[in-house]
Amino acid sequence: MKLKYGDLMNAPATEGITKRAISLPGPCARDESLDITVLMGGPSREREVSLTSGSAVAGALEQLGHRVTRSDIGPDDVSALDRPGIDLVFIALHGWFGESGEVQDLCEARGLCYVGSSPKASRIAMNKSHTKDAFRLAGLATPDWVIADTASAWREKVQALPLPVVVKPVDGGSSVDVTIAKDAGRRDAAVESMLAEYGSAMIERFVQGRELTVGILGNKALPIIEVIPGRDFYDYTAKYADGAGTRYSFDHGLGSRVRQEVLDLSIAAHECIGCRDMSRVDFILDEHERPWLLEINTIPGFTSHSLLPMAAKQEGLDFAAMVSRIVKLAMQRQGVRQAIQR
């Protein structure tokens, strides 16, 4: 039996790598009008992306006939969650506070139905080291890594990783402050800078290869996207400010074996963390066509450059239909919970 990180965190877990043939719910009908609060903005460095995501989600929900309240929420003011009559909270907050479990805890404490992963799964996925621990426990391949902090002898620890390496925040998103260091000087400078900014840093073995990503909707893996950045790698600029220089391809030419392996690993990663409703799983496919799991995002972007909507469209779901399915997944879960409580 493969251990799941959720077992250690007292979170629900399943065994092994599984594939389920459960159909996704259809779009919400217009007569199922809900009072929905969309959370956007927030305090993280991904605030601007979140505002764009939230606006797109809110527009789609209004198109579907729902009553929508847009709320720019932060830890100093959570009054938006105390508004009477909320049927559903759609969390479109990226980064700290929105993806790290705090907002989910607030919703749970109020008994509010909300989209996305539980507080525990959110906390695991937000911390890249905990995520990789979960992958390892489930027997899923992920590049070696070490964590540096101000109290550790990190210069000795990083010697175990051959150059080049990737230096990144432990709990950041959107590839903010990520550095590929090809020599020891650049590596050490990047770690020092990150320790000063964040107090910790992840140093990960660099795997040369093709960048792949898979969106998960419900429990279904969407078509694989190859990300071909116009820069050295798919950093924040390539994601949000350099759209013309980055290409996204469904014509990746992967053989059937590799394609199925990537899809299966995506579902396995989603499940071993305990994610629900949606996620996006990122890979590097090395020169031997071996996929390496990098991380998982519990609240993928909903911008014009975002990959989950892109993959859903390839599957035949326009943006509004995708948002509707996410809403229905959350409402069905709430219905099951209420039935159990009765």
Side-chain angles (χ1 to χ4, degrees):
M1 182 179 77
K2 296 293 186 183
L3 290 174
K4 296 296 184 75
Y5 201 66
D7 296 331
L8 304 182
M9 300 287 288
N10 297 317
T14 55
E15 293 186 9
I17 297 177
T18 61
K19 288 184 66 182
R20 299 184 202 162
I22 301 176
S23 61
L24 290 167
C28 291
R30 285 190 174 273
D31 61 356
E32 297 175 350
S33 179
L34 300 172
D35 186 315
I36 301 178
T37 292
V38 178
L39 303 183
M40 62 181 79
S44 83
R45 297 179 69 175
E46 298 172 73
R47 172 181 172 80
E48 293 304 316
V49 179
S50 175
L51 288 170
T52 303
S53 285
S55 294
V57 167
L61 291 170
E62 288 168 342
Q63 177 188 334
L64 291 163
H66 298 298
R67 304 181 303 282
V68 177
T69 300
R70 295 164 167 82
S71 297
D72 186 348
I73 191 173
D76 297 329
D77 182 4
V78 298
S79 59
L81 297 176
D82 296 319
R83 183 176 60 82
I86 298 173
D87 293 314
L88 177 73
V89 178
F90 198 113
I91 303 171
L93 294 166
H94 305 309
W96 172 73
F97 187 66
E99 284 187 88
S100 51
E102 287 86 354
V103 162
Q104 291 78 8
D105 276 329
L106 292 169
C107 289
E108 292 279 352
R110 290 163 171 77
L112 293 171
C113 178
Y114 60 94
V115 306
S117 295
S118 70
K120 287 181 179 178
S122 299
R123 282 191 280 271
I124 294 169
M126 187 66 186
N127 185 299
K128 293 181 175 64
S129 185
H130 292 170
T131 299
K132 288 164 74 70
D133 283 335
F135 292 161
R136 283 279 172 89
L137 283 170
L140 310 178
T142 188
D144 292 337
W145 78 101
V146 298
I147 299 298
D149 57 49
T150 53
S152 66
W154 62 266
R155 291 180 188 275
E156 297 177 10
K157 293 167 66 175
V158 299
Q159 301 303 319
L161 297 178
L163 292 164
V165 294
V166 183
V167 181
K168 61 178 75 171
V170 175
D171 57 0
S174 293
S175 298
V176 174
D177 289 340
V178 175
T179 298
I180 296 178
K182 298 180 180 180
D183 59 70
R186 180 78 184 278
R187 176 198 64 202
D188 293 353
V191 173
E192 292 280 11
S193 175
M194 198 155 295
L195 291 179
E197 177 73 19
Y198 297 96
S200 63
M202 174 184 283
I203 304 94
E204 182 181 57
R205 180 174 68 86
F206 175 74
V207 179
Q208 183 70 49
R210 301 165 66 183
E211 298 190 41
L212 307 177
T213 192
V214 179
I216 308 293
L217 192 56
N219 54 17
K220 177 181 175 60
L222 299 175
I224 301 167
I225 301 175
E226 181 175 7
V227 179
I228 308 168
R231 303 164 63 85
D232 288 342
F233 69 103
Y234 194 45
D235 61 3
Y236 183 92
T237 300
K239 288 180 178 180
Y240 301 114
D242 188 33
T246 300
R247 294 188 292 118
Y248 308 97
S249 177
F250 294 97
D251 299 323
H252 36 63
L254 298 179
S256 58
R257 179 193 61 80
V258 175
R259 176 182 172 278
Q260 194 59 54
E261 183 179 4
V262 170
L263 294 175
D264 288 348
L265 285 171
S266 300
I267 294 294
H270 179 90
E271 291 185 346
C272 83
I273 301 297
C275 298
R276 63 192 189 194
D277 296 350
M278 59 183 168
S279 70
R280 198 194 72 242
V281 186
D282 296 337
F283 294 87
I284 289 291
L285 187 70
D286 70 17
E287 60 181 345
H288 304 294
E289 294 197 317
R290 182 182 185 186
W292 295 86
L293 282 160
L294 298 179
E295 61 183 84
I296 188 166
N297 296 269
T298 55
I299 304 179
F302 293 96
T303 75
S304 61
H305 290 75
S306 296
L307 300 171
L308 182 67
M310 198 180 300
K313 185 176 181 181
Q314 183 74 8
E315 191 80 343
L317 291 173
D318 65 18
F319 189 86
M322 178 197 67
V323 169
S324 179
R325 289 198 177 186
I326 294 169
V327 167
K328 273 218 164 181
L329 287 163
M331 294 302 293
Q332 287 180 348
R333 181 170 59 252
Q334 181 76 349
V336 170
R337 176 187 295 182
Q338 291 173 346
I340 292 172
Q341 290 173 344
R342 287 197 295 269

